[in-house]
Amino acid sequence: MNLSTGSYRTKILGLVMAASFIALIIFAFWVSPNDDQQGGAVRLLYIHVPLAISTYVCYIACGIASLVFLIKKKIWWDYIALSTAEIGTIFCGLTLLTGAIWGRPIWNTWWEWGDVRLVTTLILFLLFLGYLALRAMPSSNPNANVRRAAVVAIVATIDIPIINRSVEWWQNRTLHQRSTLVELKIEDWTFFTLVLGFLAFGLLIIWLTIHRFRVAWLAGEIDSLETELALKKRLEESNI
Amino acid sequence: MSYIGYVLAGWLSTFLAFATYIFFVLRRGRSYSAKVPEARRRWIDSGSENKGSNND
């Protein structure tokens, strides 16, 4: 009996994703050069920057899916919102962790409370932890809980443009540099490795979202089956 | 100056977190799948996807 949440297509996707991560490791550690200012620590940015962008992608997807769910009331959208919120929170936690590990040798500190980007990213992480806690809370009215969580997700998503623009809006209150990626101020192999990182993490988001969506779908089906069974039992009892 | 310790700590913690999360998602999927009939699991309904392989 096939119990996997994988399908033929997700297996192919999983293989391509694994290959792209192997390529990322090869390029990050053996092909791309040391940075003039950061030295070998630049290799941390090949996961830190894609993790940060992946966090944005997941949370924006969650915000859009939550909005569509509130409008269309289709449970599909809620499953997408839940899946992307959970994956985004893993990415966001890892963004904070890898950022702290990178900051220690480069900024000489693990954390800086005065840095607007760090603090707003932490707030985003805590908001989505709250979203997930709300989803996990037992409730006498689960539908109301889901709608409340959708509103929380939409409100939390507003933090993303603030995080993204913080280095421009508060230039004297951040240790972060302005975007070097958009202005192409980085070397060819460094740029290529970063793009490879975006590709690998993008595939990981798709692969994980499909699997997590199917888990949410299965949980919903189990709830429906239990309700159907309870109704059937009730009907049988009333017939007697 | 060598930053290898920081670099390895960052990469390893990231991959360890991914592996742990993937493991729990797939395991939960299998445990839920056992409670739901195949007909209601849409992704194993069609064509070449239903060839009995359990690998992800």
Side-chain angles (χ1 to χ4, degrees):
Chain A
M1 191 181 178
N2 184 5
L3 295 179
S4 166
T5 46
S7 57
Y8 177 73
R9 288 193 187 100
T10 57
K11 282 167 193 165
I12 300 289
L13 180 65
L15 286 173
V16 176
M17 177 191 76
S20 64
F21 269 102
I22 290 168
L24 175 64
I25 290 168
I26 292 168
F27 274 88
F29 285 92
W30 286 283
V31 179
S32 73
N34 279 352
D35 186 74
D36 292 340
Q37 292 168 0
Q38 302 176 37
V42 72
R43 293 173 214 292
L44 268 171
L45 296 186
Y46 299 135
I47 47 169
H48 175 70
V49 179
L51 274 169
I53 301 297
S54 301
T55 303
Y56 295 166
V57 170
C58 288
Y59 284 160
I60 288 170
C62 175
I64 293 170
S66 298
L67 187 66
V68 178
F69 169 73
L70 287 177
I71 296 166
K72 296 201 167 182
K73 312 257 186 298
K74 290 255 184 205
I75 198 69
W76 265 68
W77 292 103
D78 177 56
Y79 293 159
I80 294 174
L82 175 62
S83 307
T84 47
E86 198 174 283
I87 296 162
T89 305
I90 303 275
F91 283 151
C92 194
L94 287 169
T95 303
L96 291 168
L97 179 71
T98 53
I101 293 171
W102 177 85
R104 183 69 189 88
I106 301 300
W107 293 342
N108 207 27
T109 179
W110 297 100
W111 185 264
E112 177 55 54
W113 284 107
D115 187 301
V116 181
R117 179 169 271 186
L118 287 184
V119 175
T120 47
T121 306
L122 179 65
I123 290 169
L124 183 72
F125 180 64
L126 295 175
L127 282 170
F128 273 94
L129 273 186
Y131 169 90
L132 293 174
L134 189 59
R135 296 300 305 255
M137 257 169 51
S139 167
S140 55
N141 187 354
N143 288 338
N145 239 16
V146 169
R147 283 198 299 275
R148 279 187 207 118
V151 174
V152 170
I154 294 164
V155 172
T157 311
I158 296 169
D159 193 21
I160 294 171
I162 298 173
I163 296 171
N164 185 257
R165 304 310 300 162
S166 61
V167 288
E168 308 288 341
W169 293 343
W170 294 281
Q171 285 182 32
N172 56 346
R173 290 202 59 191
T174 184
L175 294 172
H176 280 88
Q177 60 194 26
R178 295 174 66 190
S179 174
T180 47
L181 198 61
V182 177
E183 294 165 20
L184 286 176
K185 284 181 182 170
I186 48 181
E187 288 183 33
D188 286 351
W189 284 119
T190 306
F191 180 73
F192 180 82
T193 311
L194 265 177
V195 171
L196 197 59
F198 293 137
L199 173 78
F201 279 79
L203 292 172
L204 179 65
I205 290 174
I206 297 168
W207 187 85
L208 270 177
T209 305
I210 293 170
H211 280 276
R212 185 61 188 85
F213 174 88
R214 286 173 179 171
V215 171
W217 169 272
L218 287 167
E221 288 297 295
I222 291 169
D223 281 347
S224 306
L225 285 168
E226 283 172 354
T227 311
E228 281 170 26
L229 204 69
L231 270 172
K232 208 174 160 186
K233 215 171 171 182
R234 199 74 184 265
L235 276 172
E236 279 171 7
E237 282 170 5
S238 62
N239 283 341
I240 294 166
Chain B
M1 190 174 174
S2 172
Y3 298 117
I4 193 71
Y6 293 105
V7 172
L8 287 180
W11 279 78
L12 289 176
S13 54
T14 299
F15 282 106
L16 191 68
F18 285 162
T20 309
Y21 180 66
I22 289 169
F23 171 77
F24 281 109
V25 168
L26 296 182
R27 195 179 70 163
R28 193 151 37 134
R30 282 176 185 276
S31 120
Y32 287 177
S33 286
K35 297 174 187 166
V36 177
E38 276 199 17
R40 292 175 83 153
R41 283 182 269 142
R42 296 183 176 192
W43 54 93
I44 61 168
D45 278 349
S46 57
S48 57
E49 298 179 12
N50 192 11
K51 287 185 175 170
S53 167
N54 281 348
N55 300 324
D56 293 289

